[in-house]
Amino acid sequence: AATAEMAALRGGPGWLRGWLPALQLLRRGSKAVTRHWKAMHFQRQKLLAVTEYLPPRPAVPPRCLPAPRDRPQEEDGYARLLRRQVEQVFRSSRMVAVCQYNSMPDEDLVTMRHYLRKHNIEVKFVLNEIIRPVLEQSKYRNLLPLFVCRNILLVSPETRAREMLRVLKGIPQVNLLGACIDDTILSRQGVENFARLPSLEASQGQTVGALALLPSQTSSLLQRGPSFLTALLDEHIRRLRDTGAPGEAPQEQGMG
């Protein structure tokens, strides 16, 4: 190495002009492994086998025991409160209309509530998971097919179907699906037919007139025979007086 350096300094051949390190370290062979698998000592194996935990056998086989019952999940108190409110709405309202609700601006919603409140109709927003269990255990279970999407209830202590349809006519975001009026479930067409009926006072007047017509006709039929007989007798007496036949006085006395 020293000879090569001196030759390079003296201007030797070109392949000797480059500097090479005097010492080069090259590592050969595999990596050192410090951990090798070693079999466990037989005494330790015996100790582990002796101290292994064995669970005790049950006195009754598991297949002979009754199947465990699922613990009922505790119902949320807020959900219970909402269901009670729904039950109270159905008990205290003569008209409960189910409508499909689509998104609408808040101003339009406030306006709809205002016009419905003028006719004593309230708007109730309910969740399907709240109202469906209530309907399943009541006489209104036939309303269940209507609660498949986002719905609202239009409730009123009076039967204001005509006013409700008039307000909903100008609100395309709210579609009437059906209603329960006086414990009678009606479809949309049934609600429209009910709205065309006259008021209760007019219906009562028509019923009273129809009931009074039959007795009056019966009375007139019963009085027609005696009235006709009386008219015939009066006409006979008049003719006897006009002719002046003998024996008129005795006949008149006999008639009297």
Side-chain angles (χ1 to χ4, degrees):
T3 306
E5 290 178 3
M6 292 177 63
L9 292 175
R10 293 176 182 178
W15 62 276
L16 292 176
R17 293 178 184 176
W19 179 84
L20 296 176
L23 181 63
Q24 294 182 358
L25 298 178
L26 296 178
R27 183 175 180 178
R28 293 180 183 160
S30 61
K31 237 180 181 181
V33 179
T34 59
R35 294 185 180 181
H36 296 278
W37 180 84
K38 186 177 181 181
M40 188 181 300
H41 198 272
F42 70 96
Q43 292 185 354
R44 186 176 181 184
Q45 294 180 6
K46 290 181 179 180
L47 180 61
L48 292 177
V50 171
T51 58
E52 183 181 2
Y53 173 74
L54 296 177
R57 294 183 178 181
V60 181
R63 62 178 179 273
C64 299
L65 297 174
R69 297 181 179 180
D70 297 336
R71 297 181 59 184
Q73 298 181 355
E74 296 184 0
E75 189 179 7
D76 187 10
Y78 183 63
R80 237 182 358 255
L81 175 62
L82 294 178
R83 290 177 184 173
R84 290 178 183 174
Q85 292 179 355
V86 172
E87 293 176 357
Q88 181 64 26
V89 165
F90 276 89
R91 282 197 301 265
S92 61
S93 303
R94 294 180 58 189
M95 184 186 74
V96 180
V98 183
C99 301
Q100 179 185 2
Y101 176 77
N102 300 315
S103 298
M104 57 188 304
D106 295 340
E107 296 80 4
D108 297 344
L109 179 60
V110 172
T111 304
M112 181 188 71
R113 280 187 165 182
H114 170 70
Y115 283 111
L116 290 174
R117 195 176 293 114
K118 290 174 64 176
H119 301 292
N120 199 15
I121 303 175
E122 295 292 335
V123 180
K124 301 290 184 180
F125 286 86
V126 294
L127 298 176
N128 292 342
E129 54 268 21
I130 296 298
I131 194 171
R132 289 183 69 89
V134 177
L135 296 179
E136 288 175 354
Q137 303 175 0
S138 67
K139 58 184 178 181
Y140 307 107
R141 62 178 61 91
N142 291 333
L143 290 173
L144 283 174
L146 302 180
F147 293 91
V148 294
C149 56
R150 191 178 182 186
N151 302 100
I152 60 174
L153 299 180
L154 305 182
V155 300
S156 174
E158 304 174 4
T159 56
R160 297 297 183 90
R162 185 179 306 173
E163 293 80 1
M164 178 187 66
L165 291 176
R166 190 182 302 119
V167 175
L168 295 181
K169 187 177 180 180
I171 306 175
Q173 293 88 352
V174 179
N175 302 318
L176 179 64
L177 302 178
C180 180
I181 301 177
D182 287 338
D183 294 337
T184 302
I185 297 177
L186 303 174
S187 62
R188 178 185 177 89
Q189 185 63 37
V191 176
E192 293 176 354
N193 296 337
F194 180 84
R196 297 191 189 100
L197 296 177
S199 61
L200 181 60
E201 293 77 9
S203 300
Q204 290 176 349
Q206 294 176 1
T207 304
V208 171
L211 294 176
L213 179 61
L214 295 177
S216 63
Q217 291 179 351
T218 303
S219 176
S220 63
L221 290 175
L222 293 176
Q223 294 178 2
R224 182 177 299 177
S227 301
F228 185 68
L229 179 59
T230 303
L232 289 177
L233 293 176
D234 292 341
E235 182 65 20
H236 182 65
I237 293 173
R238 187 182 63 79
R239 288 183 180 181
L240 291 177
R241 286 179 180 176
D242 294 343
T243 56
E248 182 180 353
Q251 290 179 0
E252 290 182 357
Q253 293 177 358
M255 291 295 296

